[in-house]
Amino acid sequence: MNGHSNVVYPEAPAAEASSSPFTGGVRPMDARVSSEAADSGYGEQDLVGLLSSPFSEGLLDGGESESDAAFAALVGELTDEGFDEAVQDLVDEAAGLHLASAGTWSTEATEHLATGEVQNWMAGVAAEADRLLEHVEQHFAARTPESLTDGEIGGALTEALVAEGRPGLDGENFIPALARKAGSLLRGVATLAKRGVAFAGRFLVGPLVGALRRIVPTMLKWVLSKALNRLPQNLRNDAAALAAKLGITLPSTQSAPAALPTPTPAAEPAPAEPTTGAALAELFDAHLANTVLTGNHSMADRLMAEAEADADEDGPSAVAGLDAARATLADQLAEAEPGSVLTTEVEQFIPAVMAALPLIRAGIGAIGRDKVVGLIARPLAELMKGHVGAQAAKALSRAIADKGLALLRLEAESSTGGQLGVEALVSMLEDTIRAVGQLPPESLAEPLRVRAELQEAFAAAAARHLPAELLRADLDANEIDGESAVWVLMPRGPGRRYRYRKCSRIFPVRISRNVARAIVLSDGGTLEQRFLDEGAAGWPAQAEVHVYEALPGTHLGHLAASEGQVDPSEFEDLTPNTAALLLNQPGLGRPAYGGVGRRYYRVVPGRGGRHRRRFKRAVVLLVLTGPRPVLRVHLRLSERAAHRVTELLAQNADVRLVAAFRSLILGIAQQPLPGRIARQAERTPGAALTAAQARALAAGVGERMVAAISAQLRSLAPTLAAAARDAAEGVTLTFEFGFADRAALAAGRPDAPTVTVRPGRHRD
C-alpha cells in the first residue's frame, strides 16, 4: 500500500532468530508496525542516462523528413565530448568550492553563506561566457549562414578567446569548450543553409549566436543545482516536456544497482555510463538545435526562469535532509539509555535514506513505505540495542581510532567523545536500509526474505564500519584481508555535512612496471604512462593508495577539495580487477557504475610528489550526418612521450616504437573508446549501437590504428620528429576512418584510416 496506513501487518514467523554480528551471540528480533513514514520528496536525481535513447522519427513540428534530417545534422555537429567534460568539470569545481566554503563557517547561516559564494563564482563564469558569445555575435551580426567559411569561424573564435585572456580553442575548460560549441553551431547552420534548408537560411548569424547566449545561463543554473545536490523535480519535468517536443524517449529511472554486490571481475569492460556533464550537454544541444531551427525562444525563456527560481529556493535537498537525519540519529544513539531499543528513532531515519536514493523509492513504491519501514525498523533497533548510550559510543570510538585514524589526522577527534562510534552505527543502518530497499517488489512483499536480507546486509555493513575485534569470530563478511580497517564519514567538520567515506587504511605499495602497465585509467592511458609522464625514476614505484566510497550527493569535486585541493582527475574507479592488481585486495573493488557505493582510489607518489592535471589521451568524434559515417580518433601524446618517439625514431628502433604505440592504442580501445562511441551514436536517429557492437567497433578501430602506424611509420617519421620539436606541448595523431554505410559502422568494419600528425593537443 502507498501512503499512510493503520493496517497492522502480520509478524514474520519466529521459527529462527536472526543473529547479530557483534560479539555476544544471538539476539531475537521481531517486526512491528512502523510509525507514519515521512514523505520522501524528490531527493537526488542525477541526469545520468536521462537522454541516452536515440532520437525518434519526427523530431520537430509535423515530423517532416527535412526537419528531421536538419535536426539530426545540427545535433550531430554540436556533439562534442570535450564540452561534456567541461560541463562535468564545472559541476565538480562548484561542488568543491561549496564544500570548502561551508567548512569555513560553523553557524546556522553556513549553507546560505557557502551557497552565496558559489553563486558569485558561477556568476563570474556566466559573465565571461556571455562576453565571449557577445563578441562572436557582433562579429557575425549581419552575415548569413551560407556566407561563412570554416577558417573565418575559427579565426573569429580565437579572437574572442584572446579578448578574454584565453590561449586558444584547444583549452580543456568551459570557456574554450563553449567557443568550440559556438563554432560547431555556426558550421552546422552554414552547412544546412548551403544545402538549401530554408528554416536555417532565413536567419542572420547574429540572432543564432544570440540564441546560444540565451540558453547558456539556463544550463549553468542546472550545473549549480546539481553541484549543490538541489536538482529539483521540475527539472526532470522540463526535460520530459522538451524530450516530448523533440521526440526523445526518456528511459526508466531504474539503473544499475547501487548496492554493494559481491564483486566479480567482468570478462570485458562495458561502455561506461554518461556522466552528469554528458547528460546536461545532451539536453543543452537538443534544446539549442530546436531553438535555432524553429526560432522559438519561449521554451528557453521558461526553462531559464524556472531554473533561476529553483536555484533561489531555500528548501533543503534530500541530501541535506539526510545530513540532518544522520546527525539527529547519531545524537539520539549517544544520548540513549544503555540497552534501549530505538525503534521510533530508526523509523524516522529510514525515510531520509529512501528520499536520497531514487532507486529505492521506485522499488518501495509498489509495496508501500509504511510496510517496509515496519518490517525493518524494529529488527535494526534490536540489533543495535547493546551498543547505544554514551559509554558504548566512547568504547566504539576508541576501537575505531585504533584502526589508523592517525593517518587521516583524526587522532584528536577520537578522544573527544563517542562521535566516531555512533556515526559508524548510523553508517551501518544506512547501508543496510539501502541494500534491503533495493530488493525487487516481490521480495519486499515477503517478510522472511526481507529479514534474511537485512541480517546479511547488517553483518556486511558491520564488517565495513567496525573493527574486526568487535565482531563475532565466525562472521565471514570482511572485504579486506589482513589488518582490518573501517570507513569514516568525510569531510570532518562542525556542520556534519558528509559527502564521502574514506578507508582508514592507507595502503603503502611498491608498484611493478608490469602491474602499472596492466592498470588502464579512465583517460585510456595506463598507470605506467602516468608515472613516466610525472618523472618516475625507476621500478618498482613507491606510492600510497587512498580509497574512497561515494555517498548520496558525492561529486569528485568533494573529494578533490577535501583531500587538499587536488585535481578531480586524480581519482579513478576502484574496480575488483584494479583492487586485485594494485592492492591484492579484490574485495575492496566495486563495479564502475551507479553512484552510491561506488569506490575510487587515488595514487599518491612517494616522497610527497604531486600529480599534474591530466589531459585526455584520446578524443573521439563520430560524424553520422553525411552519406558515409566518419570516425576521428585524436591520439594525444604527452611531451615526454613525444620526445621518446623522437629518440626511438633516431635509433631506428621501429619495433619498440610500434610496441609502445600498440600499448597506448589498445588500452584506449579497451577502456574509454567503446563508451564514447556508443554515447555519440545514440544522439543520431537510427544509429544507436549495442554494448557488444561498440566494443567490437572499438577493438577493430584500435587494431587498424596499430596497423596504420606499422605501415606508415617511416613515412610519418619526419613529421613526428618535427612535431615533437615544436614549442607546443605534446603531439596529436589524428586517425580518420570512413565507413561504407551505417551497417558497416554497426558491424565494426572501418576502412583503413588516414593519419595526420600535428604539434600540440588538438580536439579536431
Side-chain angles (χ1 to χ4, degrees):
M1 294 179 64
N2 294 312
H4 304 307
S5 173
N6 293 321
V7 177
V8 177
Y9 296 95
E11 295 184 359
E16 180 182 356
S18 297
S19 57
S20 165
F22 297 109
T23 53
V26 176
R27 296 186 177 88
M29 303 189 302
D30 58 8
R32 303 288 170 87
V33 63
S34 73
S35 62
E36 291 187 350
D39 186 357
S40 65
Y42 175 65
E44 180 193 36
Q45 173 58 61
D46 204 328
L47 285 179
V48 170
L50 183 63
L51 297 175
S52 61
S53 294
F55 297 108
S56 68
E57 304 298 325
L59 297 169
L60 297 175
D61 300 338
E64 298 177 0
S65 59
E66 185 182 51
S67 297
D68 295 352
F71 183 88
L74 188 51
V75 168
E77 186 70 49
L78 291 170
T79 298
D80 175 10
E81 66 178 17
F83 186 77
D84 302 352
E85 294 158 6
V87 173
Q88 183 61 51
D89 287 346
L90 270 185
V91 172
D92 286 331
E93 189 170 1
L97 286 170
H98 183 262
L99 186 64
S101 178
T104 65
W105 306 98
S106 59
T107 67
E108 294 182 358
T110 298
E111 185 67 24
H112 176 74
L113 293 169
T115 299
E117 288 190 17
V118 180
Q119 287 173 332
N120 289 338
W121 169 80
M122 187 64 81
V125 175
E128 186 177 1
D130 192 67
R131 288 194 302 270
L132 173 84
L133 296 177
E134 182 183 24
H135 188 107
V136 178
E137 181 181 11
Q138 291 176 352
H139 185 95
F140 294 111
R143 298 285 296 279
T144 58
E146 61 268 26
S147 71
L148 301 179
T149 65
D150 192 63
E152 185 180 13
I153 292 170
L157 295 173
T158 300
E159 179 184 314
L161 284 167
V162 170
E164 287 297 317
R166 300 282 178 169
L169 285 168
D170 289 320
E172 302 283 341
N173 61 23
F174 180 72
I175 298 301
L178 181 61
R180 293 194 299 270
K181 182 72 70 175
S184 297
L185 173 65
L186 295 178
R187 282 187 288 271
V189 296
T191 300
L192 291 174
K194 291 168 185 176
R195 291 178 184 173
V197 179
F199 42 76
R202 70 171 182 251
F203 289 116
L204 296 175
V205 173
L208 299 181
V209 180
L212 177 58
R213 285 181 69 187
R214 293 164 71 98
I215 297 171
V216 167
T218 304
M219 189 192 63
L220 293 179
K221 293 289 186 181
W222 292 341
V223 166
L224 186 59
S225 292
K226 180 59 190 171
L228 302 183
N229 293 305
R230 294 172 61 180
L231 202 64
Q233 172 68 64
N234 67 347
L235 177 58
R236 180 168 176 86
N237 294 340
D238 288 339
L242 180 59
K245 180 178 178 62
L246 301 177
I248 303 169
T249 301
L250 297 185
S252 165
T253 56
Q254 293 284 352
S255 61
L260 302 176
T262 300
T264 52
E268 53 182 337
E273 292 181 347
T275 62
T276 297
L280 283 173
E282 187 172 352
L283 178 59
F284 175 83
D285 289 348
H287 183 35
L288 176 60
N290 180 61
T291 301
V292 165
L293 293 175
T294 66
N296 181 5
H297 295 275
S298 61
M299 178 74 78
D301 292 338
R302 183 177 67 81
L303 289 181
M304 185 159 66
E306 292 187 3
E308 289 174 349
D310 293 329
D312 292 337
E313 281 185 1
D314 292 329
S317 68
V319 173
L322 183 54
D323 286 338
R326 287 192 193 109
T328 297
L329 182 58
D331 292 342
Q332 291 168 338
L333 291 171
E335 296 166 1
E337 291 295 323
S340 298
V341 180
L342 304 181
T343 304
T344 300
E345 290 80 358
V346 174
E347 287 174 344
Q348 293 168 347
F349 180 66
I350 292 173
V353 178
M354 294 179 181
L357 295 167
L359 191 64
I360 287 184
R361 292 202 307 274
I364 287 178
I367 304 299
R369 286 191 300 272
D370 286 350
K371 180 176 181 180
V372 175
V373 171
L375 282 172
I376 66 178
R378 177 76 182 190
L380 286 174
E382 286 280 358
L383 283 170
M384 291 194 309
K385 69 180 182 180
H387 301 274
V388 302
Q391 293 303 315
K394 290 178 181 179
L396 286 177
S397 291
R398 286 193 296 270
I400 291 171
D402 289 338
K403 292 301 169 183
L405 294 198
L407 297 175
L408 305 186
R409 298 187 296 276
L410 298 179
E411 318 96 297
E413 188 171 342
S414 66
S415 62
T416 60
Q419 190 66 34
L420 289 170
V422 292
E423 284 178 352
L425 294 177
V426 171
S427 288
M428 290 164 56
L429 288 176
E430 189 174 335
D431 286 358
T432 304
I433 294 163
R434 175 157 52 92
V436 174
Q438 289 173 170
L439 290 173
E442 56 270 22
S443 296
L444 284 170
E446 294 294 333
L448 189 57
R449 169 64 196 281
V450 171
R451 183 166 293 195
E453 188 75 22
L454 182 147
Q455 178 172 306
E456 292 299 311
F458 191 79
R464 286 191 296 274
H465 298 295
L466 294 177
E469 295 79 6
L470 300 180
L471 305 177
R472 298 196 327 261
D474 64 335
L475 192 65
D476 187 21
N478 294 326
E479 62 183 13
I480 300 179
D481 294 329
E483 179 188 351
S484 67
V486 294
W487 290 88
V488 182
L489 289 166
M490 298 288 284
R492 312 303 298 179
R496 291 192 275 184
R497 294 172 182 81
Y498 302 124
R499 291 296 172 264
Y500 63 96
R501 294 178 182 139
K502 185 171 184 178
C503 183
S504 66
R505 185 170 166 185
I506 296 175
F507 297 84
V509 292
R510 299 175 76 244
I511 305 173
S512 72
R513 191 163 195 169
N514 283 335
V515 167
R517 185 175 296 161
I519 296 175
V520 181
L521 307 177
S522 59
D523 66 354
T526 64
L527 192 59
E528 176 197 26
Q529 290 157 351
R530 183 203 284 188
F531 280 175
L532 291 174
D533 286 346
E534 292 169 355
W539 303 94
Q542 303 286 341
E544 290 181 345
V545 178
H546 299 240
V547 182
Y548 312 86
E549 182 177 281
L551 294 171
T554 295
H555 299 293
L556 288 182
H558 292 139
L559 278 67
S562 180
E563 291 292 302
Q565 298 298 326
V566 301
D567 194 273
S569 67
E570 293 188 21
F571 299 91
E572 294 281 344
D573 281 303
L574 186 67
T575 63
N577 183 58
T578 300
L581 285 169
L582 188 59
L583 305 174
N584 197 29
Q585 299 281 358
L588 271 178
R590 295 287 179 262
Y593 56 67
V596 180
R598 191 168 182 169
R599 295 269 172 91
Y600 300 96
Y601 72 94
R602 173 175 168 247
V603 177
V604 179
R607 301 176 185 174
R610 292 291 298 271
H611 293 302
R612 295 182 298 173
R613 178 171 176 80
R614 281 186 287 153
F615 60 93
K616 292 293 182 183
R617 296 181 186 270
V619 177
V620 181
L621 179 63
L622 180 62
V623 182
L624 295 167
T625 53
R628 285 166 48 92
V630 174
L631 175 66
R632 284 194 286 274
V633 180
H634 303 287
L635 183 66
R636 307 199 298 175
L637 305 182
S638 67
E639 188 71 4
R640 179 206 61 83
H643 286 297
R644 181 59 176 161
V645 167
T646 302
E647 292 172 4
L648 293 175
L649 286 171
Q651 298 168 12
N652 291 319
D654 292 5
V655 172
R656 293 165 63 190
L657 187 52
V658 169
F661 272 112
R662 174 190 175 277
S663 175
L664 175 59
I665 290 170
L666 295 188
I668 290 168
Q670 176 191 24
Q671 181 76 358
L673 195 58
R676 294 183 187 179
I677 291 174
R679 289 196 295 274
Q680 292 192 32
E682 285 171 351
R683 298 189 184 186
T684 302
L689 302 173
T690 66
Q693 287 173 327
R695 281 193 293 264
L697 176 56
V701 164
E703 288 294 343
R704 282 191 172 268
M705 288 171 67
V706 176
I709 289 288
S710 302
Q712 302 179 45
L713 183 60
R714 280 294 110 194
S715 62
L716 291 173
T719 310
L720 278 168
R725 290 192 300 268
D726 192 277
E729 186 171 359
V731 172
T732 299
L733 288 81
T734 298
F735 298 77
E736 181 166 316
F737 296 87
F739 296 82
D741 48 32
R742 290 189 182 179
L745 177 75
R749 295 195 302 268
D751 298 336
T754 60
V755 185
T756 306
V757 178
R758 291 174 286 174
R761 295 174 188 156
H762 298 274
R763 289 186 167 272
D764 210 8

